[in-house]
Amino acid sequence: MSDCLEILPPNQGVPPQLMVLLHGVGADAASMLPLARALQHEFPQAALLIPEGFDAFDAGPQGRQWFSVSGITEENRPPRVAAARERFVRWLRAAQERLRATPAVTALVGFSQGAILALETAQAEDGLAGRVLAFSGRYAVLPDHAPQLTTLHLLHGAADTVMPARHAREALDRLALLGGDATLDIAEGVGHVLHPVLIEEAIHRLRSHIPHRTWQAALGAAPRMQRDGGTH
């Protein structure tokens, strides 16, 4: 992989959170800095990594891409995404090992093509990240099973014409049917951008959403009342 911007906590110890930000096609790591700064403000002890896409953007003079969109179709998108995902998973595991950050404290935060990569990584590698925040993204193919160890937060602009919001709605419906842990927030009047309203909602989700697996673990640990039909 090419360069990676890093924003590391001042204590230089094991970070309590690792956030990996994945940019859109034709962009670069610097394009994710406004989001990174917002996350750093709210989570100052988190380590933030912003890697550059694997390859040079093949449809313009500048920028990077995770996979090519030249001549892309519904049929050839999945294998392209799968190839990028395999490369990214190797990179992510190495980053987690280097920073001694566990998968449970890792969040993948992607925009557009970066969101596709994040969602498909969570789909193929359940639990490699505890959370995914997918801004203006979609699945390469709607899932046939739901991750059980990863919470998915879908964030979209209602006026997005590049990646229509119907993709997010379809994803949420499918995940709900499959018993996944997912949320969806759609901002009216917002297009295909990392809008401050969506960033604010993402931070709210990170702070307030309790993963279903946490509830289930708590319920499983709670003592059960024994009822024998007598009078109590």
Side-chain angles (χ1 to χ4, degrees):
M1 181 182 285
S2 64
D3 294 339
C4 176
L5 297 179
E6 298 190 356
I7 303 174
L8 302 179
N11 59 20
Q12 299 297 316
V14 177
Q17 294 166 305
L18 170 61
M19 299 183 180
V20 179
L21 281 60
L22 305 171
H23 63 74
V25 66
D28 56 19
S31 68
M32 301 296 281
L33 282 174
L35 174 58
R37 293 190 183 103
L39 292 170
Q40 182 189 28
H41 180 266
E42 294 293 331
F43 307 98
Q45 297 306 312
L48 282 78
L49 305 185
I50 318 175
E52 296 274 2
F54 295 123
D55 303 311
F57 184 40
D58 60 11
Q62 296 180 334
R64 308 290 298 179
Q65 63 188 23
W66 300 104
F67 56 89
S68 175
V69 295
S70 178
I72 200 161
T73 65
E74 291 298 313
E75 289 71 32
N76 65 28
R77 180 182 289 106
R80 294 186 187 190
V81 175
R85 184 197 69 229
E86 291 176 3
R87 296 170 71 184
F88 174 67
V89 166
R90 290 194 294 270
W91 177 89
L92 178 58
R93 291 188 188 279
Q96 289 172 328
E97 182 177 358
R98 174 170 63 89
L99 295 173
R100 293 179 291 164
T102 65
V105 303
T106 301
L108 304 182
V109 187
F111 171 69
S112 193
Q113 191 179 86
I116 296 175
L117 182 60
L119 287 169
E120 291 293 341
T121 296
Q123 186 63 27
E125 302 284 344
D126 187 11
L128 186 57
R131 303 246 192 172
V132 166
L133 285 83
F135 292 86
S136 306
R138 58 167 290 180
Y139 280 98
V141 177
L142 284 174
D144 58 6
H145 65 279
Q148 299 301 303
L149 300 174
T150 305
T151 299
L152 308 170
H153 300 297
L154 312 176
L155 303 116
H156 225 100
D160 191 336
T161 58
V162 176
M163 200 89 69
R166 65 175 175 82
H167 290 297
R169 295 190 181 97
E170 291 170 357
L172 183 72
D173 290 344
R174 178 63 63 87
L175 290 165
L177 183 66
L178 297 171
D181 183 8
T183 66
L184 171 61
D185 295 286
I186 296 180
E188 294 298 325
V190 172
H192 194 71
V193 293
L194 272 171
H195 196 279
V197 169
L198 291 176
I199 294 175
E200 181 180 352
E201 189 57 37
I203 291 171
H204 171 72
R205 291 293 187 183
L206 284 173
R207 286 202 171 279
S208 65
H209 182 82
I210 299 176
H212 289 176
R213 59 189 178 276
T214 303
W215 279 114
Q216 292 168 350
L219 291 172
R224 297 187 178 183
M225 296 290 294
Q226 292 185 355
R227 301 187 182 279
D228 58 11
T231 302
H232 297 276

